[in-house]
Amino acid sequence: MKQFRYGALIVLAMAVLLAACSRQDTTKYLVMGTNAEFPPFETRGGPGGAEVVGFDVDVAKAIAAKVGLPLKIEDMKFDSLLPALDAGQVDMVLAGMTITPDRAQNVDFSDPYYKATQVVLMRKGDPVPTSKEDLKGRTISVQFGTTGDGAAAEIAGSENVRQFTSMLDAVVALMNSQVDFAVLDEQPAINFQKKNPADLELVRLAFDDEYYGVAVKKGNTELLARINETLAEIAADGRYDRFVDYWMVQMIGSAELEAE
Ligand code: GLN
């Protein structure tokens, strides 16, 4: 009798397990790849910092709603994002990623959804550069593989550029006097400066305009069409402005925007 009960229990357990497995197998997600170290576009937040939150996440949620699938977020290093897209591990990349001709050879980009530029962060009290010339031959920290990485190498010479896999580490290196400057995108720079106003100063030099786009695997025209529709809709119905107001005005520099 006892043995039979165990047998029945095992059968029941297996049935539950099978049901759980098949449920997992049949649930499809829209998978967003990102690097959650780029506040206010993507960073750690929510209860205990367990969630990835930010402007890009809100845009991605709107895209997922349009596609009709739950959103799943894969957080990885910035330079792993496009290979992950190519390998089919993620469906789309939203990572404050600038549309560049090089990247556009390997992936397809949506319409631009945010205008950005590079800026310089420096230690408060150091002599303030007035042009890019003043950065020549000085040491600059950057996040590896970003447009800031390329811009810094062009100005200071690649031998003077220190590459970090995380944007936060690049800024910490500056604060610890390991480099003279950091070159990074404007909004994360504003965020880091506002969090460390006594230590950091933000300088705007003549850097080009950049435009962020959502990247999809080359040839995924179906998803790209849904993404562009969503971008147009959120711009038209006021959601885009609300995301900007929340993430770039209310939340910028907030303690809730942890970069780690
Ligand atoms: N916009 C920059 C780029 O595309 C930086 C993006 C990032 O670090 N998440 O290279």
Side-chain angles (χ1 to χ4, degrees), residues 61-178:
K61 281 182 183 160
I63 297 168
K66 180 93 193 159
V67 171
L69 290 173
L71 181 71
K72 190 170 169 180
I73 301 177
E74 295 286 348
D75 183 16
M76 60 187 82
K77 287 184 182 143
F78 185 75
D79 62 308
S80 302
L81 287 168
L82 296 190
L85 197 55
D86 207 41
Q89 289 159 7
V90 301
D91 298 308
M92 57 180 188
V93 167
L94 287 93
M97 183 173 277
T98 303
I99 302 168
T100 68
D102 266 5
R103 291 173 180 159
Q105 285 190 345
N106 302 309
V107 297
D108 287 338
F109 279 106
S110 69
D111 295 334
Y113 69 90
Y114 196 84
K115 183 177 164 193
T117 189
Q118 298 298 306
V119 298
V120 177
L121 279 182
M122 54 174 284
R123 283 181 300 276
K124 213 166 195 150
D126 282 359
V128 181
T130 54
S131 75
K132 285 174 166 178
E133 287 291 301
D134 293 344
L135 270 55
K136 263 211 167 92
R138 310 290 303 280
T139 51
I140 302 179
S141 63
V142 297
Q143 185 179 15
F144 177 65
T146 59
T147 44
D149 187 356
E154 223 170 83
I155 300 167
S158 49
E159 68 281 8
N160 293 313
V161 177
R162 308 281 176 273
Q163 297 166 313
F164 295 85
T165 48
S166 123
M167 190 66 95
L168 181 69
D169 289 346
V171 176
V172 168
L174 169 69
M175 289 168 72
N176 290 341
S177 302
Q178 289 161 17

Side-chain angles (χ1 to χ4, degrees), residues 3-250:
Q3 248 172 5
F4 168 76
R5 270 215 302 268
Y6 280 136
L9 262 180
I10 288 168
V11 169
L12 189 73
M14 279 172 71
V16 168
L17 203 73
L18 269 176
C21 286
S22 66
R23 197 161 52 231
Q24 216 169 35
D25 287 345
T26 51
T27 306
K28 287 206 167 50
Y29 297 92
L30 184 68
V31 185
M32 161 189 177
T34 198
N35 171 235
E37 300 174 306
F38 198 71
F41 290 91
E42 40 268 329
T43 186
R44 290 278 161 184
E51 282 168 40
V52 178
V53 299
F55 183 91
D56 280 344
V57 178
D58 285 352
V59 173
K61 281 182 183 160
I63 297 168
K66 180 93 193 159
V67 171
L69 290 173
L71 181 71
K72 190 170 169 180
I73 301 177
E74 295 286 348
D75 183 16
M76 60 187 82
K77 287 184 182 143
F78 185 75
D79 62 308
S80 302
L81 287 168
L82 296 190
L85 197 55
D86 207 41
Q89 289 159 7
V90 301
D91 298 308
M92 57 180 188
V93 167
L94 287 93
M97 183 173 277
T98 303
I99 302 168
T100 68
D102 266 5
R103 291 173 180 159
Q105 285 190 345
N106 302 309
V107 297
D108 287 338
F109 279 106
S110 69
D111 295 334
Y113 69 90
Y114 196 84
K115 183 177 164 193
T117 189
Q118 298 298 306
V119 298
V120 177
L121 279 182
M122 54 174 284
R123 283 181 300 276
K124 213 166 195 150
D126 282 359
V128 181
T130 54
S131 75
K132 285 174 166 178
E133 287 291 301
D134 293 344
L135 270 55
K136 263 211 167 92
R138 310 290 303 280
T139 51
I140 302 179
S141 63
V142 297
Q143 185 179 15
F144 177 65
T146 59
T147 44
D149 187 356
E154 223 170 83
I155 300 167
S158 49
E159 68 281 8
N160 293 313
V161 177
R162 308 281 176 273
Q163 297 166 313
F164 295 85
T165 48
S166 123
M167 190 66 95
L168 181 69
D169 289 346
V171 176
V172 168
L174 169 69
M175 289 168 72
N176 290 341
S177 302
Q178 289 161 17
V179 290
D180 299 317
F181 302 104
V183 170
L184 66 165
D185 292 46
E186 181 179 34
Q187 286 295 335
I190 293 173
N191 188 69
F192 290 126
Q193 195 279 331
K194 281 202 190 290
K195 275 188 155 177
N196 303 281
D199 302 315
L200 294 175
E201 190 161 338
L202 190 149
V203 185
R204 291 169 194 281
L205 301 176
F207 288 99
D208 295 340
D209 288 342
E210 299 184 14
Y211 294 89
Y212 295 167
V214 182
V216 299
K217 191 175 174 141
K218 247 203 177 328
N220 192 351
T221 47
E222 179 65 35
L223 179 57
L224 197 61
R226 295 293 87 73
I227 291 171
N228 283 332
E229 281 164 27
T230 309
L231 292 175
E233 280 172 21
I234 64 174
D237 68 15
R239 272 181 288 169
Y240 183 91
D241 288 342
R242 280 207 301 279
F243 298 163
V244 169
D245 180 63
Y246 184 72
W247 293 108
M248 279 73 171
V249 182
Q250 293 181 47

